[in-house]
Amino acid sequence: MGKEPHILLWGVDESGERVVIRDKSFRPYFYVVPSSEAELSRLVNEIKRLSSVKSPITNIEVIPKKLFGRAVNVIRITTVIPEFVREYRENIKKMEGVADVLEADIRFSMRYMIDKGLTPCSWFEADVVEVRKHPSLSVSREYELVGNFKSLPIHKPPNMKVLAFDIEVYNPRGVPRPGKDPVIIVATMNSEGGVKVIEMSDSTARNDAKVISEFVSYIQSYDPDVIVGYNSNKFDWPYLIERSKVLGIRMDVGRVKDGVPRTSVYGHISIPGRLNVDVFDFVEEIGEIKVRSLDVVAEYLGVMKRSERVLVPWYEISKYWDDLNRRELLIRYAVDDVRSTMGIADKILPFAIQLSSLTGLPLDQVGSASVGFRLEWYLMRASYGYNELIPNRVERLYEPYKGAIVLEPVKGVHENIAVLDFTSMYPNIMIKYNIGPDTYVELGCDEASCNIIPELGYRFRKDPPGFYKAVLETLIEMRKAVRDLMRKYPQDSAEYRVLDERQKALKVLANASYGYMGWVGARWYFRQGAEAVTALGRDIISKAILLAKELGLKVIYGDTDSLFVEYGPRIERFIMLVMDKLGLEIKVDKVYRRIFFTEAKKRYIGLTTDGLVDIVGFEAVRGDWAEIAKEVQELVAYSILAEGSISKAVEIVNNMVRELKEGRIPLDKLIIWKTITKPLGEYEVSAPHISAARRLLEMGGRVEVGDKVGYVIVKGGGPISSRAYPYIAVKVEDIDSDYYVDHQIIPASLRILEYFGVTEKQLKTSSKGIRTLFDFGKRNP
């Protein structure tokens, strides 16, 4: 407001009204760390002389803080306009007697929430007075803050209004271009289950101005708190924003006048007064999902089966739209998409809300931010409570260090194998040994005062507790308290579900601490600490193996914080010994009914007692594998473990080869996806995906760096790259089945079957003479 910064806090009050609290009192500030020889009074006077009338320095004070646990007197400088902090920082850094300038790179809104102890998606009580609502704000009431905030222990969220949306774009030339191609359908679904489809009426003029304008009006009339989409940060919103500019339409969808969506930090789209959440950000973190198309993810999460919905290839959307007999199918496809989006949001939002509340990152940012940034914001909030200064982010080169222990596996087939996992091994190591940059002692510390790390000789003082230890203990204690509280509520209650999502978010943050310490982009980067943790992890695993052997337990394999041992009555005794001797908790994570190891580390397939197959190290994950390769590999793995029949597995491959040659494999299972990593003109060798990308350009498509190109190999002579075509230009009968047999199905299958003596010839012909899995097990005890 003019030259005075105001903080606007958007919220829902206890009666369910949408309100804004305005705080006019908060001002931006940062810290100057003087060098050891600096004269403080002289430095303070020099800084005062920098004061500008555009944003005067309103206060300078010398205060005690801690920097990596060390007491230090720093100069706190307060000004008026947040944007001027950077200018002051750059000028002060050049001054003699200045060792560093800290906390000048923290966004003003985040600085406010840290200092006030505010977390998003949480209940607070505030001392306010109601004021006349500013005409630019679309809320029920406006208040001005006159006191403080008080956190409330309420675990039930308000009834927030959520709107899911999905757009369909006319794309006759392949990849749609906002400069030319109209938005033909916007499908929406609200919290109450209401579905609204906005479609272009004039298909001849290709005028979509009415579609976008009606979508904007609907958002304003429904007035959602949260807007959700699937890949909407990278496609739907950018496309709508660019398209609206072409049409001269203002995308005023926020709760303030001129509330136009804009790209903000971490690449997310920010909408003033609303929370825009792209659920795709969270789906990307689910490693079990290999294909992340909306229809596949919706089926994986139990939202909607692919067999029960309309599926339309994106490259045929324009054909469905132009054909009036098929247009209704396209509309049903759009509705299925938006229903899937809302269903996925229902699954993900509870966790996202708790993660936002814990980290302090707003709900629209927490998904787009990496795990490292999420933990870092939590640490930044914690540092304020401990009076610790927040280090600057510094560009560093990657420094490799020795990682976790991985044992040589006992080759062959094993039955009844338990996987024992150390509970939060790395966070507990950091706590037990007080590891952190502020506890690190280079010289002159004996075993009575310091924890000395095996292999490395690094020393970490035992007392007082360091910053990392204090934070991690708090996280672990909070998780325990939340889990205890969960027992007071029925499992089908809203309170129970909220608390369950919160304990999951706490676990994610605690487990990220070790990786964060070794991340070169971290503010609290500390390579020695990361090295110490892995060294201790290796030592603990080695000692645990000795304890297992003393009990007569056979250890089959070990990796990082897990041990694979024969399951039996002595397991409980082993767990108690580990607790007693090593001071760490270990528990049974899963039991494999049958598991097969090669001689290689990190390579096994296992069948759990629940009937699920785990494939590790064999996966068809190479960049040029098609879906058919992954599918046949999973079928092979299940067959040999569940049925103990290698001949059945070979028969599966034989049948797949036959179906492929007969043209009975759907085209979408034959597509190979590869990413374009640089401009096409910079590729010297024409790899298959580059050839396909160039053909896509000739068709009128658009290919940019970072795009994934889907291609298939067709019949004909010449090298593979000359026969690579965009899949949108090919029919099943054009496919070179021999290529897919020789370069997809057979290699993916042999990654597992070759260890059982199966040859390529047998996979192409018949399974006669193949021995059983049990024969293999007896031969390889």
mmCIF file of all heavy atoms in Angstrom, residues 26-32 57 59-63 74-78 115 384:
data_model
loop_
_atom_site.group_PDB
_atom_site.id
_atom_site.type_symbol
_atom_site.label_atom_id
_atom_site.label_comp_id
_atom_site.label_asym_id
_atom_site.label_seq_id
_atom_site.Cartn_x
_atom_site.Cartn_y
_atom_site.Cartn_z
ATOM 1 N N PHE A 26 4.772 -4.891 10.331
ATOM 2 C CA PHE A 26 6.009 -5.664 10.144
ATOM 3 C C PHE A 26 6.924 -4.998 9.120
ATOM 4 O O PHE A 26 6.463 -4.454 8.118
ATOM 5 C CB PHE A 26 5.674 -7.088 9.690
ATOM 6 C CG PHE A 26 6.826 -8.037 9.803
ATOM 7 C CD1 PHE A 26 7.314 -8.427 11.037
ATOM 8 C CD2 PHE A 26 7.436 -8.545 8.662
ATOM 9 C CE1 PHE A 26 8.377 -9.320 11.143
ATOM 10 C CE2 PHE A 26 8.488 -9.434 8.754
ATOM 11 C CZ PHE A 26 8.972 -9.815 10.000
ATOM 12 N N ARG A 27 8.228 -5.063 9.393
ATOM 13 C CA ARG A 27 9.221 -4.430 8.516
ATOM 14 C C ARG A 27 10.351 -5.412 8.193
ATOM 15 O O ARG A 27 10.729 -6.248 9.010
ATOM 16 C CB ARG A 27 9.815 -3.177 9.178
ATOM 17 C CG ARG A 27 8.810 -2.062 9.404
ATOM 18 C CD ARG A 27 8.321 -1.479 8.073
ATOM 19 N NE ARG A 27 7.329 -0.423 8.256
ATOM 20 C CZ ARG A 27 6.024 -0.603 8.217
ATOM 21 N NH1 ARG A 27 5.533 -1.819 7.998
ATOM 22 N NH2 ARG A 27 5.184 0.397 8.368
ATOM 23 N N PRO A 28 10.916 -5.289 7.001
ATOM 24 C CA PRO A 28 12.009 -6.189 6.607
ATOM 25 C C PRO A 28 13.304 -5.857 7.343
ATOM 26 O O PRO A 28 13.575 -4.694 7.655
ATOM 27 C CB PRO A 28 12.151 -5.923 5.103
ATOM 28 C CG PRO A 28 11.651 -4.528 4.909
ATOM 29 C CD PRO A 28 10.552 -4.349 5.924
ATOM 30 N N TYR A 29 14.097 -6.894 7.600
ATOM 31 C CA TYR A 29 15.382 -6.696 8.264
ATOM 32 C C TYR A 29 16.361 -7.782 7.843
ATOM 33 O O TYR A 29 15.984 -8.782 7.233
ATOM 34 C CB TYR A 29 15.208 -6.694 9.783
ATOM 35 C CG TYR A 29 14.803 -8.019 10.364
ATOM 36 C CD1 TYR A 29 15.757 -8.981 10.724
ATOM 37 C CD2 TYR A 29 13.453 -8.338 10.554
ATOM 38 C CE1 TYR A 29 15.375 -10.207 11.243
ATOM 39 C CE2 TYR A 29 13.066 -9.565 11.078
ATOM 40 C CZ TYR A 29 14.042 -10.496 11.419
ATOM 41 O OH TYR A 29 13.683 -11.716 11.932
ATOM 42 N N PHE A 30 17.633 -7.579 8.184
ATOM 43 C CA PHE A 30 18.657 -8.586 7.919
ATOM 44 C C PHE A 30 19.806 -8.347 8.886
ATOM 45 O O PHE A 30 19.774 -7.398 9.690
ATOM 46 C CB PHE A 30 19.135 -8.520 6.466
ATOM 47 C CG PHE A 30 19.722 -7.196 6.059
ATOM 48 C CD1 PHE A 30 21.100 -6.994 6.033
ATOM 49 C CD2 PHE A 30 18.897 -6.134 5.683
ATOM 50 C CE1 PHE A 30 21.644 -5.774 5.657
ATOM 51 C CE2 PHE A 30 19.427 -4.904 5.300
ATOM 52 C CZ PHE A 30 20.803 -4.725 5.299
ATOM 53 N N TYR A 31 20.812 -9.234 8.846
ATOM 54 C CA TYR A 31 21.915 -9.173 9.813
ATOM 55 C C TYR A 31 23.265 -8.968 9.129
ATOM 56 O O TYR A 31 23.509 -9.501 8.041
ATOM 57 C CB TYR A 31 21.993 -10.473 10.628
ATOM 58 C CG TYR A 31 20.773 -10.742 11.466
ATOM 59 C CD1 TYR A 31 19.818 -11.673 11.073
ATOM 60 C CD2 TYR A 31 20.584 -10.066 12.672
ATOM 61 C CE1 TYR A 31 18.705 -11.927 11.849
ATOM 62 C CE2 TYR A 31 19.465 -10.315 13.453
ATOM 63 C CZ TYR A 31 18.527 -11.241 13.035
ATOM 64 O OH TYR A 31 17.423 -11.484 13.809
ATOM 65 N N VAL A 32 24.116 -8.222 9.814
ATOM 66 C CA VAL A 32 25.505 -8.050 9.386
ATOM 67 C C VAL A 32 26.399 -8.714 10.426
ATOM 68 O O VAL A 32 26.286 -8.432 11.627
ATOM 69 C CB VAL A 32 25.869 -6.557 9.249
ATOM 70 C CG1 VAL A 32 27.361 -6.395 8.952
ATOM 71 C CG2 VAL A 32 25.031 -5.904 8.151
ATOM 72 N N ILE A 57 16.713 3.400 6.526
ATOM 73 C CA ILE A 57 17.039 2.455 7.591
ATOM 74 C C ILE A 57 16.401 3.002 8.864
ATOM 75 O O ILE A 57 16.750 4.080 9.335
ATOM 76 C CB ILE A 57 18.564 2.311 7.752
ATOM 77 C CG1 ILE A 57 19.159 1.646 6.502
ATOM 78 C CG2 ILE A 57 18.899 1.500 8.999
ATOM 79 C CD1 ILE A 57 20.673 1.584 6.496
ATOM 80 N N ASN A 59 16.086 1.316 11.881
ATOM 81 C CA ASN A 59 16.651 0.865 13.157
ATOM 82 C C ASN A 59 17.928 0.072 12.918
ATOM 83 O O ASN A 59 18.008 -0.722 11.980
ATOM 84 C CB ASN A 59 15.634 0.005 13.914
ATOM 85 C CG ASN A 59 16.086 -0.289 15.337
ATOM 86 O OD1 ASN A 59 16.607 0.592 16.021
ATOM 87 N ND2 ASN A 59 15.899 -1.516 15.782
ATOM 88 N N ILE A 60 18.925 0.312 13.759
ATOM 89 C CA ILE A 60 20.159 -0.474 13.765
ATOM 90 C C ILE A 60 20.452 -0.834 15.211
ATOM 91 O O ILE A 60 20.505 0.049 16.076
ATOM 92 C CB ILE A 60 21.348 0.310 13.171
ATOM 93 C CG1 ILE A 60 21.089 0.665 11.703
ATOM 94 C CG2 ILE A 60 22.627 -0.513 13.280
ATOM 95 C CD1 ILE A 60 22.235 1.423 11.054
ATOM 96 N N GLU A 61 20.620 -2.123 15.470
ATOM 97 C CA GLU A 61 20.940 -2.538 16.839
ATOM 98 C C GLU A 61 21.909 -3.711 16.823
ATOM 99 O O GLU A 61 21.899 -4.534 15.914
ATOM 100 C CB GLU A 61 19.667 -2.918 17.600
ATOM 101 C CG GLU A 61 18.834 -3.990 16.932
ATOM 102 C CD GLU A 61 17.556 -4.293 17.698
ATOM 103 O OE1 GLU A 61 17.556 -4.145 18.933
ATOM 104 O OE2 GLU A 61 16.551 -4.664 17.051
ATOM 105 N N VAL A 62 22.746 -3.767 17.832
ATOM 106 C CA VAL A 62 23.682 -4.876 17.995
ATOM 107 C C VAL A 62 23.050 -5.875 18.961
ATOM 108 O O VAL A 62 22.660 -5.501 20.080
ATOM 109 C CB VAL A 62 25.041 -4.393 18.543
ATOM 110 C CG1 VAL A 62 25.985 -5.578 18.762
ATOM 111 C CG2 VAL A 62 25.668 -3.370 17.583
ATOM 112 N N ILE A 63 22.918 -7.120 18.498
ATOM 113 C CA ILE A 63 22.244 -8.137 19.326
ATOM 114 C C ILE A 63 23.054 -9.433 19.328
ATOM 115 O O ILE A 63 23.795 -9.712 18.389
ATOM 116 C CB ILE A 63 20.809 -8.417 18.833
ATOM 117 C CG1 ILE A 63 20.824 -8.929 17.386
ATOM 118 C CG2 ILE A 63 19.941 -7.186 18.941
ATOM 119 C CD1 ILE A 63 19.470 -9.394 16.911
ATOM 120 N N VAL A 74 25.897 -9.503 16.372
ATOM 121 C CA VAL A 74 25.648 -9.084 14.989
ATOM 122 C C VAL A 74 24.852 -7.788 14.979
ATOM 123 O O VAL A 74 24.257 -7.389 15.986
ATOM 124 C CB VAL A 74 24.881 -10.176 14.215
ATOM 125 C CG1 VAL A 74 25.729 -11.427 14.067
ATOM 126 C CG2 VAL A 74 23.546 -10.488 14.881
ATOM 127 N N ILE A 75 24.859 -7.153 13.826
ATOM 128 C CA ILE A 75 24.113 -5.899 13.660
ATOM 129 C C ILE A 75 22.827 -6.206 12.895
ATOM 130 O O ILE A 75 22.870 -6.736 11.783
ATOM 131 C CB ILE A 75 24.953 -4.866 12.887
ATOM 132 C CG1 ILE A 75 26.289 -4.625 13.591
ATOM 133 C CG2 ILE A 75 24.180 -3.561 12.728
ATOM 134 C CD1 ILE A 75 27.286 -3.844 12.740
ATOM 135 N N ARG A 76 21.700 -5.887 13.516
ATOM 136 C CA ARG A 76 20.415 -6.086 12.855
ATOM 137 C C ARG A 76 19.978 -4.762 12.239
ATOM 138 O O ARG A 76 19.887 -3.737 12.937
ATOM 139 C CB ARG A 76 19.370 -6.592 13.837
ATOM 140 C CG ARG A 76 17.973 -6.671 13.244
ATOM 141 C CD ARG A 76 17.007 -7.386 14.160
ATOM 142 N NE ARG A 76 15.644 -6.916 13.949
ATOM 143 C CZ ARG A 76 14.556 -7.632 14.173
ATOM 144 N NH1 ARG A 76 14.674 -8.862 14.634
ATOM 145 N NH2 ARG A 76 13.355 -7.131 13.978
ATOM 146 N N ILE A 77 19.675 -4.785 10.946
ATOM 147 C CA ILE A 77 19.314 -3.572 10.206
ATOM 148 C C ILE A 77 17.880 -3.707 9.715
ATOM 149 O O ILE A 77 17.534 -4.668 9.031
ATOM 150 C CB ILE A 77 20.261 -3.369 9.011
ATOM 151 C CG1 ILE A 77 21.703 -3.203 9.517
ATOM 152 C CG2 ILE A 77 19.845 -2.173 8.176
ATOM 153 C CD1 ILE A 77 22.734 -3.388 8.443
ATOM 154 N N THR A 78 17.043 -2.747 10.056
ATOM 155 C CA THR A 78 15.637 -2.743 9.658
ATOM 156 C C THR A 78 15.383 -1.593 8.698
ATOM 157 O O THR A 78 15.872 -0.473 8.917
ATOM 158 C CB THR A 78 14.718 -2.594 10.884
ATOM 159 O OG1 THR A 78 15.037 -3.610 11.835
ATOM 160 C CG2 THR A 78 13.260 -2.724 10.492
ATOM 161 N N ASP A 115 8.870 -15.281 11.904
ATOM 162 C CA ASP A 115 8.959 -14.456 13.106
ATOM 163 C C ASP A 115 7.694 -14.530 13.961
ATOM 164 O O ASP A 115 7.756 -14.457 15.198
ATOM 165 C CB ASP A 115 9.240 -13.003 12.720
ATOM 166 C CG ASP A 115 10.658 -12.802 12.219
ATOM 167 O OD1 ASP A 115 11.253 -13.771 11.711
ATOM 168 O OD2 ASP A 115 11.186 -11.685 12.337
ATOM 169 N N TYR A 384 15.144 -19.942 14.139
ATOM 170 C CA TYR A 384 14.657 -18.714 14.776
ATOM 171 C C TYR A 384 14.395 -18.966 16.257
ATOM 172 O O TYR A 384 14.735 -18.148 17.114
ATOM 173 C CB TYR A 384 13.380 -18.243 14.071
ATOM 174 C CG TYR A 384 12.820 -16.949 14.620
ATOM 175 C CD1 TYR A 384 13.339 -15.723 14.216
ATOM 176 C CD2 TYR A 384 11.777 -16.954 15.542
ATOM 177 C CE1 TYR A 384 12.824 -14.536 14.726
ATOM 178 C CE2 TYR A 384 11.258 -15.778 16.052
ATOM 179 C CZ TYR A 384 11.788 -14.566 15.643
ATOM 180 O OH TYR A 384 11.286 -13.388 16.154
#
